[in-house]
Amino acid sequence: MSTTQRSNTPPGNLPPGVPKGMRPRLAALRAAEDGMGTVEYAIGTLAAAAFAAVLYSVVTGDSVVSALTALIERALSTGF
Protein backbone atom coordinates (compact mmCIF):
# COMPACT_ATOMS: atom_id res chain seq x y z
CA MET A 1 0.00 0.00 0.00
CA SER A 2 1.46 3.37 -0.91
CA THR A 3 1.49 6.38 1.39
CA THR A 4 -1.14 8.13 -0.74
CA GLN A 5 -3.66 5.33 -0.23
CA ARG A 6 -5.52 5.22 3.05
CA SER A 7 -7.30 2.34 4.64
CA ASN A 8 -10.88 2.77 5.79
CA THR A 9 -10.02 0.95 9.00
CA PRO A 10 -8.52 3.37 11.53
CA PRO A 11 -5.43 2.33 13.48
CA GLY A 12 -6.07 0.52 16.73
CA ASN A 13 -9.53 -0.59 15.58
CA LEU A 14 -11.05 2.77 16.52
CA PRO A 15 -14.44 3.61 15.00
CA PRO A 16 -14.26 5.50 11.69
CA GLY A 17 -16.05 8.60 13.07
CA VAL A 18 -13.33 9.41 15.65
CA PRO A 19 -11.66 12.77 14.86
CA LYS A 20 -7.94 12.64 14.03
CA GLY A 21 -7.02 14.67 17.09
CA MET A 22 -8.67 12.17 19.41
CA ARG A 23 -7.04 9.06 17.92
CA PRO A 24 -3.69 9.28 19.79
CA ARG A 25 -5.45 9.91 23.12
CA LEU A 26 -7.89 7.03 22.61
CA ALA A 27 -5.08 4.74 21.52
CA ALA A 28 -3.13 5.64 24.69
CA LEU A 29 -6.17 4.97 26.88
CA ARG A 30 -6.71 1.68 25.15
CA ALA A 31 -3.09 0.65 25.71
CA ALA A 32 -3.38 1.60 29.41
CA GLU A 33 -5.99 -1.16 29.90
CA ASP A 34 -3.71 -4.01 28.83
CA GLY A 35 -3.24 -5.33 32.39
CA MET A 36 -6.90 -5.14 33.36
CA GLY A 37 -7.73 -8.67 32.28
CA THR A 38 -6.11 -10.24 35.34
CA VAL A 39 -7.85 -7.85 37.74
CA GLU A 40 -11.20 -8.47 36.08
CA TYR A 41 -10.76 -12.24 36.37
CA ALA A 42 -9.77 -11.89 40.04
CA ILE A 43 -12.84 -9.78 40.84
CA GLY A 44 -15.07 -12.17 38.91
CA THR A 45 -13.63 -15.13 40.80
CA LEU A 46 -14.18 -13.41 44.16
CA ALA A 47 -17.75 -12.55 43.20
CA ALA A 48 -18.42 -16.14 42.14
CA ALA A 49 -16.98 -17.47 45.41
CA ALA A 50 -19.10 -15.05 47.44
CA PHE A 51 -22.22 -16.02 45.49
CA ALA A 52 -21.44 -19.72 46.04
CA ALA A 53 -21.07 -19.12 49.79
CA VAL A 54 -24.41 -17.30 49.98
CA LEU A 55 -26.12 -19.96 47.87
CA TYR A 56 -24.69 -22.73 50.06
CA SER A 57 -25.91 -21.05 53.23
CA VAL A 58 -29.39 -20.59 51.75
CA VAL A 59 -29.65 -24.15 50.44
CA THR A 60 -28.43 -25.71 53.68
CA GLY A 61 -30.81 -23.61 55.78
CA ASP A 62 -33.54 -25.45 57.69
CA SER A 63 -36.45 -24.08 55.68
CA VAL A 64 -34.97 -25.00 52.30
CA VAL A 65 -33.90 -28.46 53.44
CA SER A 66 -37.35 -29.20 54.86
CA ALA A 67 -39.06 -27.89 51.72
CA LEU A 68 -36.84 -30.01 49.46
CA THR A 69 -37.37 -33.05 51.67
CA ALA A 70 -41.15 -32.59 51.56
CA LEU A 71 -41.05 -32.18 47.78
CA ILE A 72 -38.98 -35.34 47.30
CA GLU A 73 -41.17 -37.36 49.68
CA ARG A 74 -44.29 -36.19 47.85
CA ALA A 75 -42.77 -37.08 44.48
CA LEU A 76 -41.74 -40.54 45.68
CA SER A 77 -45.09 -41.30 47.30
CA THR A 78 -47.24 -40.63 44.25
CA GLY A 79 -48.37 -43.69 42.34
CA PHE A 80 -48.15 -44.15 38.62
Side-chain angles (χ1 to χ4, degrees):
M1 183 182 253
S2 71
T3 56
T4 57
Q5 293 176 337
R6 295 205 162 189
S7 171
N8 288 336
T9 305
N13 296 326
L14 295 174
V18 176
K20 286 184 180 182
M22 293 293 293
R23 290 180 189 273
R25 175 73 177 139
L26 288 174
L29 286 173
R30 196 165 205 189
E33 294 184 7
D34 287 342
M36 290 301 292
T38 304
V39 173
E40 290 168 356
Y41 282 120
I43 291 173
T45 302
L46 286 174
F51 180 72
V54 169
L55 186 62
Y56 178 77
S57 66
V58 167
V59 170
T60 56
D62 290 335
S63 61
V64 175
V65 169
S66 62
L68 286 175
T69 303
L71 180 69
I72 292 171
E73 286 175 352
R74 192 173 118 205
L76 292 176
S77 67
T78 54
F80 291 100

